mmCIF file of all heavy atoms in Angstrom:
data_model
loop_
_atom_site.group_PDB
_atom_site.id
_atom_site.type_symbol
_atom_site.label_atom_id
_atom_site.label_comp_id
_atom_site.label_asym_id
_atom_site.label_seq_id
_atom_site.Cartn_x
_atom_site.Cartn_y
_atom_site.Cartn_z
ATOM 1 N N ASP X 1 -0.137 -10.861 -0.086
ATOM 2 C CA ASP X 1 -1.041 -12.009 -0.140
ATOM 3 C C ASP X 1 -0.200 -13.228 -0.454
ATOM 4 O O ASP X 1 0.328 -13.340 -1.551
ATOM 5 C CB ASP X 1 -2.125 -11.803 -1.190
ATOM 6 C CG ASP X 1 -2.992 -13.051 -1.299
ATOM 7 O OD1 ASP X 1 -3.402 -13.577 -0.258
ATOM 8 O OD2 ASP X 1 -3.221 -13.528 -2.441
ATOM 9 N N ASP X 2 -0.090 -14.132 0.514
ATOM 10 C CA ASP X 2 0.792 -15.277 0.378
ATOM 11 C C ASP X 2 0.054 -16.493 -0.162
ATOM 12 O O ASP X 2 0.033 -17.562 0.448
ATOM 13 C CB ASP X 2 1.388 -15.572 1.762
ATOM 14 C CG ASP X 2 2.579 -16.533 1.690
ATOM 15 O OD1 ASP X 2 3.072 -16.800 0.575
ATOM 16 O OD2 ASP X 2 2.977 -17.043 2.754
ATOM 17 N N GLY X 3 -0.576 -16.326 -1.349
ATOM 18 C CA GLY X 3 -1.266 -17.428 -2.002
ATOM 19 C C GLY X 3 -2.557 -17.839 -1.334
ATOM 20 O O GLY X 3 -2.926 -19.018 -1.373
ATOM 21 N N SER X 4 -3.254 -16.874 -0.733
ATOM 22 C CA SER X 4 -4.517 -17.176 -0.022
ATOM 23 C C SER X 4 -5.532 -17.831 -0.948
ATOM 24 O O SER X 4 -5.600 -17.538 -2.129
ATOM 25 C CB SER X 4 -5.100 -15.899 0.542
ATOM 26 O OG SER X 4 -4.230 -15.344 1.509
ATOM 27 N N LYS X 5 -6.376 -18.659 -0.351
ATOM 28 C CA LYS X 5 -7.420 -19.342 -1.117
ATOM 29 C C LYS X 5 -8.801 -18.753 -0.800
ATOM 30 O O LYS X 5 -9.792 -19.261 -1.318
ATOM 31 C CB LYS X 5 -7.381 -20.834 -0.779
ATOM 32 C CG LYS X 5 -6.038 -21.452 -1.158
ATOM 33 C CD LYS X 5 -6.103 -22.933 -1.235
ATOM 34 C CE LYS X 5 -4.760 -23.577 -1.540
ATOM 35 N NZ LYS X 5 -3.996 -23.022 -2.602
ATOM 36 N N ASP X 6 -8.861 -17.737 0.018
ATOM 37 C CA ASP X 6 -10.130 -17.093 0.336
ATOM 38 C C ASP X 6 -10.144 -15.708 -0.329
ATOM 39 O O ASP X 6 -9.490 -15.504 -1.336
ATOM 40 C CB ASP X 6 -10.334 -17.012 1.854
ATOM 41 C CG ASP X 6 -9.344 -16.074 2.553
ATOM 42 O OD1 ASP X 6 -8.386 -15.588 1.887
ATOM 43 O OD2 ASP X 6 -9.527 -15.830 3.743
ATOM 44 N N ALA X 7 -10.887 -14.794 0.248
ATOM 45 C CA ALA X 7 -11.069 -13.459 -0.358
ATOM 46 C C ALA X 7 -10.022 -12.455 0.070
ATOM 47 O O ALA X 7 -10.235 -11.242 -0.098
ATOM 48 C CB ALA X 7 -12.458 -12.954 -0.030
ATOM 49 N N THR X 8 -8.917 -12.913 0.602
ATOM 50 C CA THR X 8 -7.877 -11.976 1.093
ATOM 51 C C THR X 8 -7.447 -11.013 0.004
ATOM 52 O O THR X 8 -7.417 -9.792 0.234
ATOM 53 C CB THR X 8 -6.658 -12.776 1.621
ATOM 54 O OG1 THR X 8 -7.096 -13.577 2.719
ATOM 55 C CG2 THR X 8 -5.554 -11.840 2.076
ATOM 56 N N LEU X 9 -7.078 -11.516 -1.162
ATOM 57 C CA LEU X 9 -6.585 -10.630 -2.200
ATOM 58 C C LEU X 9 -7.673 -9.641 -2.642
ATOM 59 O O LEU X 9 -7.368 -8.470 -2.870
ATOM 60 C CB LEU X 9 -6.093 -11.449 -3.416
ATOM 61 C CG LEU X 9 -5.468 -10.644 -4.561
ATOM 62 C CD1 LEU X 9 -4.305 -9.770 -4.093
ATOM 63 C CD2 LEU X 9 -5.040 -11.557 -5.678
ATOM 64 N N ASP X 10 -8.900 -10.080 -2.739
ATOM 65 C CA ASP X 10 -9.990 -9.162 -3.110
ATOM 66 C C ASP X 10 -10.140 -8.038 -2.073
ATOM 67 O O ASP X 10 -10.333 -6.886 -2.439
ATOM 68 C CB ASP X 10 -11.335 -9.901 -3.205
ATOM 69 C CG ASP X 10 -11.334 -10.912 -4.356
ATOM 70 O OD1 ASP X 10 -10.585 -10.708 -5.325
ATOM 71 O OD2 ASP X 10 -12.082 -11.906 -4.239
ATOM 72 N N GLN X 11 -10.026 -8.388 -0.795
ATOM 73 C CA GLN X 11 -10.127 -7.376 0.251
ATOM 74 C C GLN X 11 -8.967 -6.391 0.174
ATOM 75 O O GLN X 11 -9.160 -5.181 0.320
ATOM 76 C CB GLN X 11 -10.152 -8.056 1.647
ATOM 77 C CG GLN X 11 -11.381 -8.864 1.901
ATOM 78 C CD GLN X 11 -12.604 -8.005 2.091
ATOM 79 O OE1 GLN X 11 -12.557 -6.823 2.378
ATOM 80 N NE2 GLN X 11 -13.753 -8.618 1.872
ATOM 81 N N ILE X 12 -7.782 -6.892 -0.076
ATOM 82 C CA ILE X 12 -6.586 -6.026 -0.197
ATOM 83 C C ILE X 12 -6.724 -5.085 -1.406
ATOM 84 O O ILE X 12 -6.445 -3.896 -1.310
ATOM 85 C CB ILE X 12 -5.320 -6.851 -0.280
ATOM 86 C CG1 ILE X 12 -5.077 -7.624 1.033
ATOM 87 C CG2 ILE X 12 -4.105 -5.996 -0.613
ATOM 88 C CD1 ILE X 12 -3.999 -8.679 0.973
ATOM 89 N N LYS X 13 -7.163 -5.631 -2.520
ATOM 90 C CA LYS X 13 -7.354 -4.827 -3.749
ATOM 91 C C LYS X 13 -8.378 -3.722 -3.496
ATOM 92 O O LYS X 13 -8.200 -2.584 -3.949
ATOM 93 C CB LYS X 13 -7.804 -5.683 -4.896
ATOM 94 C CG LYS X 13 -6.681 -6.522 -5.513
ATOM 95 C CD LYS X 13 -7.207 -7.358 -6.685
ATOM 96 C CE LYS X 13 -6.096 -8.124 -7.350
ATOM 97 N NZ LYS X 13 -6.603 -8.926 -8.490
ATOM 98 N N GLN X 14 -9.437 -4.036 -2.751
ATOM 99 C CA GLN X 14 -10.439 -3.041 -2.454
ATOM 100 C C GLN X 14 -9.849 -1.924 -1.589
ATOM 101 O O GLN X 14 -10.128 -0.740 -1.825
ATOM 102 C CB GLN X 14 -11.651 -3.676 -1.746
ATOM 103 C CG GLN X 14 -12.806 -2.735 -1.523
ATOM 104 C CD GLN X 14 -13.399 -2.173 -2.823
ATOM 105 O OE1 GLN X 14 -13.514 -2.896 -3.789
ATOM 106 N NE2 GLN X 14 -13.757 -0.930 -2.790
ATOM 107 N N LEU X 15 -9.075 -2.276 -0.591
ATOM 108 C CA LEU X 15 -8.414 -1.280 0.227
ATOM 109 C C LEU X 15 -7.475 -0.405 -0.593
ATOM 110 O O LEU X 15 -7.430 0.811 -0.429
ATOM 111 C CB LEU X 15 -7.620 -1.932 1.368
ATOM 112 C CG LEU X 15 -8.392 -2.489 2.540
ATOM 113 C CD1 LEU X 15 -7.465 -3.214 3.491
ATOM 114 C CD2 LEU X 15 -9.144 -1.374 3.271
ATOM 115 N N ALA X 16 -6.734 -1.023 -1.508
ATOM 116 C CA ALA X 16 -5.813 -0.268 -2.357
ATOM 117 C C ALA X 16 -6.532 0.721 -3.267
ATOM 118 O O ALA X 16 -6.031 1.808 -3.538
ATOM 119 C CB ALA X 16 -4.949 -1.235 -3.192
ATOM 120 N N LYS X 17 -7.732 0.337 -3.706
ATOM 121 C CA LYS X 17 -8.551 1.253 -4.519
ATOM 122 C C LYS X 17 -9.021 2.456 -3.707
ATOM 123 O O LYS X 17 -9.077 3.573 -4.207
ATOM 124 C CB LYS X 17 -9.816 0.534 -5.027
ATOM 125 C CG LYS X 17 -9.669 -0.123 -6.349
ATOM 126 C CD LYS X 17 -11.064 -0.575 -6.787
ATOM 127 C CE LYS X 17 -10.935 -1.742 -7.728
ATOM 128 N NZ LYS X 17 -12.245 -2.282 -8.112
ATOM 129 N N GLU X 18 -9.339 2.210 -2.444
ATOM 130 C CA GLU X 18 -9.949 3.240 -1.591
ATOM 131 C C GLU X 18 -8.943 4.098 -0.882
ATOM 132 O O GLU X 18 -9.260 5.210 -0.455
ATOM 133 C CB GLU X 18 -10.848 2.582 -0.557
ATOM 134 C CG GLU X 18 -12.040 1.843 -1.153
ATOM 135 C CD GLU X 18 -12.802 1.017 -0.152
ATOM 136 O OE1 GLU X 18 -12.420 0.999 1.070
ATOM 137 O OE2 GLU X 18 -13.787 0.392 -0.545
ATOM 138 N N HIS X 19 -7.691 3.624 -0.716
ATOM 139 C CA HIS X 19 -6.706 4.341 0.095
ATOM 140 C C HIS X 19 -5.379 4.428 -0.629
ATOM 141 O O HIS X 19 -4.804 3.397 -1.048
ATOM 142 C CB HIS X 19 -6.514 3.629 1.437
ATOM 143 C CG HIS X 19 -7.778 3.447 2.204
ATOM 144 N ND1 HIS X 19 -8.353 4.449 2.949
ATOM 145 C CD2 HIS X 19 -8.601 2.359 2.329
ATOM 146 C CE1 HIS X 19 -9.472 4.010 3.499
ATOM 147 N NE2 HIS X 19 -9.639 2.760 3.134
ATOM 148 N N ASP X 20 -4.850 5.635 -0.735
ATOM 149 C CA ASP X 20 -3.571 5.848 -1.412
ATOM 150 C C ASP X 20 -2.394 5.273 -0.651
ATOM 151 O O ASP X 20 -1.318 5.062 -1.228
ATOM 152 C CB ASP X 20 -3.319 7.324 -1.613
ATOM 153 C CG ASP X 20 -4.285 7.951 -2.630
ATOM 154 O OD1 ASP X 20 -4.815 7.180 -3.476
ATOM 155 O OD2 ASP X 20 -4.508 9.156 -2.567
ATOM 156 N N ASN X 21 -2.567 5.003 0.629
ATOM 157 C CA ASN X 21 -1.434 4.487 1.417
ATOM 158 C C ASN X 21 -1.374 2.953 1.491
ATOM 159 O O ASN X 21 -0.659 2.411 2.283
ATOM 160 C CB ASN X 21 -1.463 5.064 2.831
ATOM 161 C CG ASN X 21 -2.662 4.584 3.648
ATOM 162 O OD1 ASN X 21 -3.695 4.185 3.102
ATOM 163 N ND2 ASN X 21 -2.523 4.606 4.956
ATOM 164 N N VAL X 22 -2.106 2.284 0.591
ATOM 165 C CA VAL X 22 -2.131 0.815 0.568
ATOM 166 C C VAL X 22 -1.553 0.328 -0.741
ATOM 167 O O VAL X 22 -2.001 0.748 -1.812
ATOM 168 C CB VAL X 22 -3.567 0.268 0.755
ATOM 169 C CG1 VAL X 22 -3.556 -1.253 0.608
ATOM 170 C CG2 VAL X 22 -4.117 0.665 2.125
ATOM 171 N N LYS X 23 -0.562 -0.543 -0.663
ATOM 172 C CA LYS X 23 -0.001 -1.251 -1.788
ATOM 173 C C LYS X 23 -0.089 -2.750 -1.496
ATOM 174 O O LYS X 23 -0.282 -3.124 -0.336
ATOM 175 C CB LYS X 23 1.484 -0.898 -2.003
ATOM 176 C CG LYS X 23 1.780 0.533 -2.228
ATOM 177 C CD LYS X 23 3.291 0.692 -2.374
ATOM 178 C CE LYS X 23 3.729 2.076 -1.989
ATOM 179 N NZ LYS X 23 5.166 2.206 -1.907
ATOM 180 N N TYR X 24 0.085 -3.553 -2.522
ATOM 181 C CA TYR X 24 0.067 -4.990 -2.241
ATOM 182 C C TYR X 24 0.943 -5.740 -3.240
ATOM 183 O O TYR X 24 1.242 -5.281 -4.329
ATOM 184 C CB TYR X 24 -1.367 -5.536 -2.271
ATOM 185 C CG TYR X 24 -2.042 -5.518 -3.623
ATOM 186 C CD1 TYR X 24 -1.940 -6.567 -4.518
ATOM 187 C CD2 TYR X 24 -2.780 -4.380 -4.013
ATOM 188 C CE1 TYR X 24 -2.560 -6.503 -5.746
ATOM 189 C CE2 TYR X 24 -3.393 -4.319 -5.249
ATOM 190 C CZ TYR X 24 -3.293 -5.395 -6.101
ATOM 191 O OH TYR X 24 -3.889 -5.339 -7.323
ATOM 192 N N ILE X 25 1.298 -6.932 -2.776
ATOM 193 C CA ILE X 25 2.048 -7.902 -3.589
ATOM 194 C C ILE X 25 1.261 -9.202 -3.449
ATOM 195 O O ILE X 25 0.816 -9.547 -2.360
ATOM 196 C CB ILE X 25 3.483 -8.080 -3.093
ATOM 197 C CG1 ILE X 25 4.261 -6.759 -3.234
ATOM 198 C CG2 ILE X 25 4.197 -9.214 -3.857
ATOM 199 C CD1 ILE X 25 5.618 -6.782 -2.531
ATOM 200 N N SER X 26 1.087 -9.902 -4.559
ATOM 201 C CA SER X 26 0.356 -11.153 -4.516
ATOM 202 C C SER X 26 1.226 -12.294 -5.001
ATOM 203 O O SER X 26 1.752 -12.246 -6.111
ATOM 204 C CB SER X 26 -0.905 -11.042 -5.387
ATOM 205 O OG SER X 26 -1.577 -12.273 -5.414
ATOM 206 N N PHE X 27 1.404 -13.299 -4.180
ATOM 207 C CA PHE X 27 2.179 -14.478 -4.530
ATOM 208 C C PHE X 27 1.260 -15.502 -5.227
ATOM 209 O O PHE X 27 0.093 -15.616 -4.876
ATOM 210 C CB PHE X 27 2.802 -15.147 -3.315
ATOM 211 C CG PHE X 27 3.925 -14.405 -2.658
ATOM 212 C CD1 PHE X 27 4.391 -14.774 -1.413
ATOM 213 C CD2 PHE X 27 4.576 -13.334 -3.291
ATOM 214 C CE1 PHE X 27 5.433 -14.120 -0.795
ATOM 215 C CE2 PHE X 27 5.598 -12.656 -2.699
ATOM 216 C CZ PHE X 27 6.054 -13.045 -1.428
ATOM 217 N N SER X 28 1.813 -16.255 -6.144
ATOM 218 C CA SER X 28 1.059 -17.257 -6.878
ATOM 219 C C SER X 28 0.718 -18.471 -6.023
ATOM 220 O O SER X 28 -0.231 -19.199 -6.307
ATOM 221 C CB SER X 28 1.831 -17.730 -8.101
ATOM 222 O OG SER X 28 3.061 -18.292 -7.708
ATOM 223 N N ARG X 29 1.486 -18.703 -4.969
ATOM 224 C CA ARG X 29 1.206 -19.797 -4.055
ATOM 225 C C ARG X 29 1.772 -19.399 -2.684
ATOM 226 O O ARG X 29 2.417 -18.347 -2.546
ATOM 227 C CB ARG X 29 1.851 -21.107 -4.531
ATOM 228 C CG ARG X 29 3.350 -21.090 -4.581
ATOM 229 C CD ARG X 29 3.919 -22.490 -4.883
ATOM 230 N NE ARG X 29 5.367 -22.495 -4.891
ATOM 231 C CZ ARG X 29 6.129 -22.664 -3.814
ATOM 232 N NH1 ARG X 29 5.602 -22.783 -2.621
ATOM 233 N NH2 ARG X 29 7.446 -22.691 -3.928
ATOM 234 N N ASN X 30 1.589 -20.252 -1.706
ATOM 235 C CA ASN X 30 2.065 -19.968 -0.352
ATOM 236 C C ASN X 30 3.567 -20.188 -0.251
ATOM 237 O O ASN X 30 4.050 -21.304 -0.497
ATOM 238 C CB ASN X 30 1.297 -20.847 0.654
ATOM 239 C CG ASN X 30 1.720 -20.519 2.071
ATOM 240 O OD1 ASN X 30 2.606 -21.185 2.596
ATOM 241 N ND2 ASN X 30 1.095 -19.554 2.659
ATOM 242 N N PHE X 31 4.302 -19.118 0.074
ATOM 243 C CA PHE X 31 5.747 -19.213 0.241
ATOM 244 C C PHE X 31 6.169 -19.045 1.692
ATOM 245 O O PHE X 31 7.325 -19.208 2.013
ATOM 246 C CB PHE X 31 6.451 -18.146 -0.607
ATOM 247 C CG PHE X 31 6.456 -18.428 -2.074
ATOM 248 C CD1 PHE X 31 5.465 -17.886 -2.883
ATOM 249 C CD2 PHE X 31 7.399 -19.252 -2.641
ATOM 250 C CE1 PHE X 31 5.445 -18.158 -4.240
ATOM 251 C CE2 PHE X 31 7.396 -19.518 -4.004
ATOM 252 C CZ PHE X 31 6.408 -18.959 -4.800
ATOM 253 N N GLY X 32 5.252 -18.641 2.573
ATOM 254 C CA GLY X 32 5.582 -18.440 3.986
ATOM 255 C C GLY X 32 5.792 -16.992 4.336
ATOM 256 O O GLY X 32 6.076 -16.151 3.468
ATOM 257 N N LYS X 33 5.626 -16.679 5.609
ATOM 258 C CA LYS X 33 5.681 -15.300 6.062
ATOM 259 C C LYS X 33 7.045 -14.654 5.859
ATOM 260 O O LYS X 33 7.160 -13.467 5.658
ATOM 261 C CB LYS X 33 5.172 -15.144 7.480
ATOM 262 C CG LYS X 33 6.072 -15.730 8.534
ATOM 263 C CD LYS X 33 5.502 -15.487 9.920
ATOM 264 C CE LYS X 33 6.371 -16.033 10.992
ATOM 265 N NZ LYS X 33 6.389 -17.453 11.128
#
């Protein structure tokens, strides 16, 4: 999550809860792809 301002991080966290094959990293602001 590259500092998203919408529900991106929430959606990713939900996937990580539901699926063992999902990890995530969350940036504090947008750093670019």
